[in-house]
Amino acid sequence: MGSSQMSGTNSLDRAQTQAVRSKHAVASIVGGPGTGKSEVAAHRVAHLIKGDRDPQRIVVLVANHAAGRLMRERIEAVAGSAQPTLIVTTPRRLGSEILSRHARNLGRSERYVIHDRADAKQLITALLKERASEEISAEEVVDLIWTAKANLLTQKGIELLAQNDVAVAAARVFHDYNEGLRDCDAFDRQDLACKAVEVIESVEGALEEESKKIEHLIVDDYQDLSPAECRLVQALSSKGSLFVCGNEDQSIIDGTATQPVGMLEFVERHGGAVEIELNRCYRGPKTVVEAANEVIAQNQNRRAKLRTAAKKGGTAVRVLESWNERAEATDIEKSLRDLQSIGIRRSDVVILARTVEQFRTIRDLLRKLVVPHRVLGGERFSERKEVKDLLAYLKVITNRADLLSLRRIINVPRRGIGKLTLRRVEAHAEAQELGFLAALRDAEAIEDLPKNSKTKILNFCEQIDDLSSKLGEFDAAEMLDQVVERTRYIEDIHQQNVADRDAREAGVKELQAFAREFCERRNPGTTEAFLRETSLRVDADRYDPNLDVVHLMTVPVSRGLAFPHVILAGAEEGVFPRSDEPDEIEAERRLFHVAISRSSESVTICHARNRKRAGTGFRGEPSRFIAEIPDELREHLQTFSRETEIFDAAEKRDLPPPGAGEWVRFEIGNRVQHAEWGEGTVLETEGLGQDLKLQIQFETIGLKKLLLRYAKLKKVS
């Protein structure tokens, strides 16, 4: 979803028309949320195609696969026909394609694999252990190395910037980490841009070969590009035109708001570039647009821009103050019901939060009340255990050099190959100067290995060899199905009887569904291509506007999307913003600005008077960003009373509150038993103690409103 002002062939305003028809070789289109930047990019492509430009030489870069799908739909709507040869991709996917053509120059094969953060952490952990530096956080070292790569820093650059133990450790392992990637025939995700830049700038003829493929390069959300991606874009557009759309106020890289240097320095970096400003917002009503304007205007590291709303009027931004996080969840669920009662679809509402952890209480309540919902923004889909296991099989089947994946699957599902067995194989590999896979194949020659263990290892090798032999016969979806079936992966999940077995089985089925969709979209849908696609998939790619569910998203995932109704949870100091450091405040403010700018109709901002963080209770102070919205543009509602404070204080001392009678607490979602009407579910509560009023959905007679004092209810455990 996005700004819909110009879908199809509807007219553009004057600034948008100027942008679409620009004859400048380099153009920067700057505009706030909802000003139609993505629509302008789509119209620009259609304008070029109608001017007899070759679609195969037009490349459109977008933030993610979901944005790419929407961009292609927009382009085809404006152009009036399908454009199968047009390239719509992401910077990392483009870098991946370049590396595929030049992998040999960097010591990799054309079948190289892509490592994610979890893989990087595993390599770094092993390197730190070798150096007796286990006290250093591997997670922090990965952060620093990946940040260095995004900024095109070498080991020397890290050494010069090293100011703490983590930076010193990162500098020491940087070279060996990259060698470890090479040994696995792998690049990490950050390599896809920085190594592509290395190819372009150091491999003879590479710049000429790659840039001549692109006559027109169009970049949406340019502000989200890393310095490495910016350099790649500049190099690839050197023989043609460059048209970028963006806004420094929305700068978010890899899920974190960062310094918006890309947009701010674009014209300076590209001499002769024209800058066209879009200042009319076609998404939100006047109240929401002005609220967002006032908030972002507090940032200093930006250009002053005026956004005017095409829509007049609008409701004030609602600010709900709840007593604690449980009450906040209840207030949010009630807001959802209120919207549904006036005919609003679930998919038209999004619940946003700074981090995915904030959804825990909200999600628990939605589950209790059986409200269909989907959470986006936590663990990457490709980093879930079941997904990583199955992708590791596919990686080993296509590329035997990926030792990290080989070690992962050798006893998954469980086949009785334990740590002692693996240590003996490793010792044999070292003594015979063999690779790990060669040592496995040579299991019969390992003298201190039991016969049963040798058989299990050789059966595993035979299974991998047999699957590998089918690579030319099966597409990616068929190969994945073979792996799931022959390893009995789902049966193993159920045999383990783990708490999340249903979620893990659902993850397997979602991966299989994605493989089928991929093969329908790509012909041929090879396993190698599927692995690249999946490794580059982000959580935003799983967003489906056609699902009848409420979406819960972290703010970074929501970028580029729009919803009629936005509910923002956890707007408190220490939560959103997370820090009060001046630079970080500006970055957090950009995220807040992005959050409220997703709305095309209404915004509700929630904060709690009390909140638990890491198991400790804190007094919640409303986010400073709320106060930056002028009084006339917001409406403050407190959803608790003085009696709530007394009641809560008594509960914390494990005492009944004054006049409460028998001490039983009823909450939304509780199952209760009534003497006459049987069991039901609490849908809503109001009041305290014996004066508590409850709305209960009974299985026998439907909805009833009861006063606790007379209801004679019992909780059902």
Side-chain angles (χ1 to χ4, degrees):
M1 300 175 69
S3 174
S4 58
Q5 169 246 346
M6 296 174 292
S7 59
T9 57
N10 291 348
S11 62
L12 310 178
D13 66 30
R14 182 176 297 178
Q16 292 163 342
T17 301
Q18 180 189 358
V20 168
R21 296 179 179 174
S22 171
K23 297 186 185 317
H24 288 78
V26 183
S28 170
I29 314 305
V30 180
T35 55
K37 297 184 296 298
S38 297
E39 293 280 5
V40 164
H43 275 73
R44 172 70 172 182
V45 175
H47 177 72
L48 292 171
I49 292 172
K50 289 176 180 178
D52 293 328
R53 303 295 185 183
D54 183 358
Q56 294 185 79
R57 298 188 64 203
I58 300 173
V59 174
V60 185
L61 297 185
V62 293
N64 51 57
H65 177 69
R69 184 173 60 242
L70 181 58
M71 178 62 75
R72 188 174 287 279
E73 290 172 1
R74 285 169 166 158
I75 292 168
E76 292 177 353
V78 179
S81 62
Q83 301 295 328
T85 61
L86 177 71
I87 300 171
V88 181
T89 188
T90 67
R92 280 180 173 160
R93 284 185 173 92
L94 182 62
S96 174
E97 292 296 323
I98 292 171
L99 292 180
S100 295
R101 292 188 283 271
H102 301 277
R104 296 289 177 187
N105 295 107
L106 298 173
R108 297 346 187 250
S109 74
E110 292 79 2
R111 286 185 169 181
Y112 71 84
V113 295
I114 299 172
H115 281 186
D116 58 25
R117 284 186 64 89
D119 298 324
K121 183 179 176 182
Q122 191 174 340
L123 273 178
I124 294 294
T125 299
L127 291 171
L128 291 174
K129 187 174 181 180
E130 286 176 12
R131 289 160 177 75
S133 300
E134 293 98 325
E135 76 282 358
I136 301 293
S137 166
E139 191 76 43
E140 291 182 37
V141 172
V142 172
D143 280 341
L144 205 154
I145 288 177
W146 278 33
T147 299
K149 289 186 174 188
N151 287 277
L152 295 171
L153 292 178
T154 61
Q155 180 173 350
K156 190 78 171 174
I158 299 177
E159 289 171 352
L160 292 173
L161 294 174
Q163 295 180 346
N164 56 39
D165 291 344
V166 173
V168 170
R172 287 176 178 168
V173 302
F174 187 81
H175 175 267
D176 289 344
Y177 167 69
N178 285 313
E179 286 300 305
L181 288 172
R182 187 194 300 266
D183 290 342
C184 289
D185 196 14
F187 293 110
D188 65 32
R189 287 170 61 92
Q190 292 296 73
D191 282 333
L192 301 179
C194 70
K195 290 296 184 183
V197 170
E198 182 180 327
V199 164
I200 294 283
E201 295 183 351
S202 65
V203 175
E204 185 177 354
L207 175 59
E208 181 71 22
E209 177 187 345
E210 298 300 333
S211 61
K212 73 180 181 182
K213 299 176 190 293
I214 304 173
E215 182 181 2
H216 300 281
L217 183 56
I218 295 165
V219 186
D220 198 17
D221 287 322
Y222 182 84
Q223 76 280 346
D224 293 337
L225 268 58
S226 70
E229 290 166 340
C230 288
R231 188 125 135 218
L232 180 62
V233 162
Q234 187 170 9
L236 293 175
S237 61
S238 60
K239 305 293 183 183
S241 73
L242 176 60
F243 185 95
V244 308
C245 301
N247 169 29
E248 69 269 16
D249 293 335
Q250 297 171 267
S251 182
I252 303 172
I253 299 177
D254 280 343
T256 305
T258 56
Q259 293 304 316
V261 294
M263 283 309 294
L264 289 174
E265 296 180 356
F266 182 85
V267 174
E268 179 182 336
R269 190 181 298 117
H270 298 265
V274 64
E275 183 173 278
I276 299 171
E277 187 173 324
L278 309 180
N279 55 24
R280 193 160 177 77
C281 177
Y282 295 91
R283 180 184 298 159
K286 188 171 185 284
T287 50
V288 173
V289 172
E290 291 186 355
N293 284 346
E294 291 292 334
V295 171
I296 199 61
Q298 308 305 313
N299 272 7
Q300 301 301 309
N301 193 17
R302 66 186 293 270
R303 290 165 292 191
K305 291 185 292 293
L306 177 66
R307 247 190 344 148
T308 59
K311 296 180 182 177
K312 303 303 179 184
T315 58
V317 173
R318 281 205 319 160
V319 180
L320 297 185
E321 181 182 11
S322 308
W323 177 246
N324 56 25
E325 63 266 26
R326 289 182 304 181
E328 178 187 56
T330 299
D331 291 338
I332 288 172
E333 190 276 331
K334 185 177 185 302
S335 296
L336 290 174
R337 278 190 288 116
D338 289 345
L339 288 168
Q340 284 189 273
S341 71
I342 58 173
I344 303 300
R345 298 178 305 165
R346 294 189 190 96
S347 57
D348 286 338
V349 185
V350 67
I351 302 173
L352 300 178
R354 179 64 182 85
T355 63
V356 73
E357 289 77 20
Q358 292 171 250
F359 290 134
R360 187 173 293 114
T361 306
I362 300 169
R363 192 175 191 184
D364 286 347
L365 180 59
L366 296 181
R367 280 173 172 163
K368 278 184 182 179
L369 299 178
V370 200
V371 177
H373 63 280
R374 196 176 201 186
V375 179
L376 301 178
E379 182 181 38
R380 288 183 188 273
F381 178 72
S382 62
E383 293 180 4
R384 288 161 57 172
K385 182 187 184 314
E386 65 277 8
V387 175
K388 280 190 72 67
D389 287 346
L390 295 172
L391 292 181
Y393 265 98
L394 296 183
K395 287 177 180 179
V396 173
I397 289 166
T398 60
N399 189 334
R400 309 300 178 80
D402 187 6
L403 299 181
L404 213 60
S405 295
L406 179 60
R407 291 176 186 274
R408 181 182 186 91
I409 63 172
I410 194 165
N411 199 38
V412 174
R414 296 165 298 174
R415 52 176 60 89
I417 302 175
K419 292 181 179 179
L420 178 59
T421 297
L422 292 178
R423 280 199 293 269
R424 288 170 175 168
V425 172
E426 288 166 352
H428 181 69
E430 186 174 352
Q432 301 299 318
E433 297 183 348
L434 296 172
F436 185 64
L437 181 57
L440 288 174
R441 295 187 191 284
D442 198 35
E444 287 286 6
I446 304 176
E447 295 180 358
D448 56 350
L449 204 59
K451 182 175 179 56
N452 188 38
S453 296
K454 293 178 181 179
T455 302
K456 291 173 181 175
I457 289 173
L458 293 174
N459 285 344
F460 168 75
C461 292
E462 183 180 342
Q463 184 180 65
I464 294 297
D465 289 341
D466 188 50
L467 287 167
S468 296
S469 69
K470 302 290 196 299
L471 272 174
E473 178 182 343
F474 294 145
D475 65 20
E478 293 166 331
M479 182 60 76
L480 178 60
D481 290 344
Q482 284 286 309
V483 170
V484 173
E485 180 182 339
R486 295 182 60 173
T487 62
R488 300 178 62 81
Y489 191 87
I490 291 178
E491 289 88 337
D492 185 67
I493 289 175
H494 286 278
Q495 287 171 8
Q496 291 182 54
N497 199 29
V498 291
D500 63 344
R501 65 181 181 184
D502 291 341
R504 286 173 60 184
E505 182 175 352
V508 173
K509 294 187 183 305
E510 184 175 348
L511 182 63
Q512 289 176 302
F514 178 57
R516 287 191 293 273
E517 184 269 330
F518 170 82
C519 290
E520 290 170 4
R521 183 164 37 90
R522 294 278 294 266
N523 188 15
T526 66
T527 301
E528 294 95 327
F530 174 68
L531 283 170
R532 302 264 170 82
E533 180 97 358
T534 310
S535 297
L536 296 174
R537 200 179 187 209
V538 296
D539 224 17
D541 294 335
R542 299 174 59 226
Y543 169 66
D544 184 351
N546 298 314
L547 289 178
D548 183 28
V549 300
V550 177
H551 281 93
L552 285 68
M553 296 184 186
T554 58
V555 178
V557 169
S558 73
R559 63 179 178 174
L561 303 176
F563 299 84
H565 304 281
V566 169
I567 300 173
L568 176 61
E572 296 130 36
E573 291 293 302
V575 179
F576 199 175
R578 294 190 298 187
S579 165
D580 58 3
E581 292 294 323
D583 285 348
E584 292 189 36
I585 283 295
E586 292 225 344
E588 293 285 301
R589 187 178 283 112
R590 285 197 294 277
L591 282 170
F592 191 90
H593 170 253
V594 165
I596 61 178
S597 295
R598 298 309 93 206
S599 168
S600 61
E601 292 187 31
S602 76
V603 173
T604 299
I605 301 173
C606 303
H607 66 96
R609 177 74 65 88
N610 304 279
R611 187 178 298 276
K612 283 186 177 179
R613 280 182 267 157
T616 304
F618 289 89
R619 182 77 167 182
E621 293 295 330
S623 169
R624 69 191 71 189
F625 305 143
I626 295 175
E628 292 170 1
I629 301 173
D631 292 344
E632 65 271 18
L633 296 176
R634 57 185 162 95
E635 172 192 15
H636 186 272
L637 300 171
Q638 184 174 290
T639 64
F640 60 90
S641 63
R642 173 61 183 160
E643 286 76 14
T644 303
E645 300 186 46
I646 297 170
F647 189 83
D648 193 69
E651 181 188 9
K652 288 175 180 174
R653 296 195 302 273
D654 202 24
L655 297 170
E662 184 182 354
W663 177 224
V664 180
R665 184 183 182 102
F666 290 91
E667 297 178 327
I668 291 176
N670 284 162
R671 293 286 293 171
V672 296
Q673 176 82 36
H674 186 274
E676 183 178 346
W677 299 323
E679 289 192 13
T681 302
V682 177
L683 298 183
E684 191 167 335
T685 65
E686 180 184 344
L688 299 167
Q690 291 297 301
D691 293 324
L692 182 70
K693 298 174 184 176
L694 304 103
Q695 283 193 30
I696 302 172
Q697 182 72 32
F698 287 101
E699 295 172 359
T700 54
I701 61 167
L703 188 66
K704 284 288 184 179
K705 295 183 180 180
L706 302 175
L707 186 64
L708 181 59
R709 175 185 308 279
Y710 304 113
K712 297 181 181 179
L713 292 172
K714 292 183 179 180
K715 273 191 178 181
V716 178
S717 59

